[in-house]
Amino acid sequence: MPSPKDTDVGELLRRLSDAGVEFIVVGGAAAVLHGAPITTEDLDIVHRRSAENVSRLKTLLDELDACVRELANRRLPPQQSALLGEGHVLLSTRLGPLDCLGTLIDGRGFEELVSHSESIVDEGAEFLVVDLPTLIEIKTKTGRAKDRLMLPVLIALAEQLEDSKGEAK
């Protein structure tokens, strides 16, 4: 499996999009896609938990030799039943770490987040990214140290984007 420095988030996004997987990018990758000057070691997504979508996701994960990240390093493949659930399935793939989140810490899943997302086209791949205000809200709720460190950067970015909108008028 690749080390975090070998993570190819762009290729993971392209492969998810090409496979027809419905998902929303959250976490550090969402911050980067909004223009935050940060780095991320993985791709966090909230996927639609329908049987059809999870089947597409599972097929892609099998192609990427995905296995569950766990201390014993038993290289367990992800289970479709886990991907259909509300929990987090933390995976290693040939392209780097991929965290498939059924719901966020506050219980919101794909259906609840889709209206708080925006479509992005990047290198031919089209996908949804949680909007910046919602990302700030999510990072505020998690309470993790790394998220508290990211918050000032995200807030400054939101202010900068708001200022640039005002100047464009």
Side-chain angles (χ1 to χ4, degrees), residues 14-167:
R14 187 187 67 73
R15 295 289 299 271
L16 286 160
S17 177
D18 288 351
V21 176
E22 295 175 273
F23 65 96
I24 300 169
V25 178
V26 297
V32 170
L33 288 164
H34 282 295
I38 63 163
T39 60
T40 186
E41 296 178 349
D42 63 3
L43 175 61
D44 299 325
I45 65 167
V46 175
H47 59 282
R48 185 184 298 267
R49 295 186 335 259
S50 69
E52 299 83 13
N53 193 57
V54 167
S55 178
R56 290 188 293 270
L57 176 58
K58 175 72 168 107
T59 298
L60 175 63
L61 294 174
D62 291 344
E63 290 172 12
L64 295 176
D65 302 322
C67 60
V68 176
R69 290 195 316 265
E70 45 104 31
L71 293 176
N73 198 23
R74 295 175 290 175
R75 303 209 30 86
L76 301 171
Q79 298 300 307
Q80 195 149 342
S81 59
L83 294 166
L84 285 165
E86 294 181 3
H88 299 178
V89 181
L90 310 180
L91 303 167
S92 293
T93 76
R94 283 188 286 110
L95 298 174
L98 173 64
D99 296 350
C100 298
L101 315 177
T103 60
L104 298 177
I105 194 167
D106 62 5
R108 288 185 288 179
F110 182 92
E111 301 300 336
E112 294 82 11
L113 290 170
V114 73
S115 63
H116 299 281
S117 302
E118 49 195 64
S119 180
I120 289 185
V121 178
D122 186 49
E123 297 185 22
E126 184 172 1
F127 49 89
L128 295 174
V129 177
V130 69
D131 63 35
L132 193 52
T134 304
L135 181 60
I136 291 169
E137 177 188 335
I138 292 165
K139 293 294 183 187
T140 300
K141 287 180 180 177
T142 63
R144 297 180 306 187
K146 69 179 188 174
D147 294 327
R148 287 194 309 269
L149 289 170
M150 189 187 301
L151 274 171
V153 173
L154 295 177
I155 291 167
L157 176 61
E159 290 170 354
Q160 179 184 12
L161 292 173
E162 192 60 37
D163 289 347
S164 66
K165 284 181 189 175
E167 292 172 7

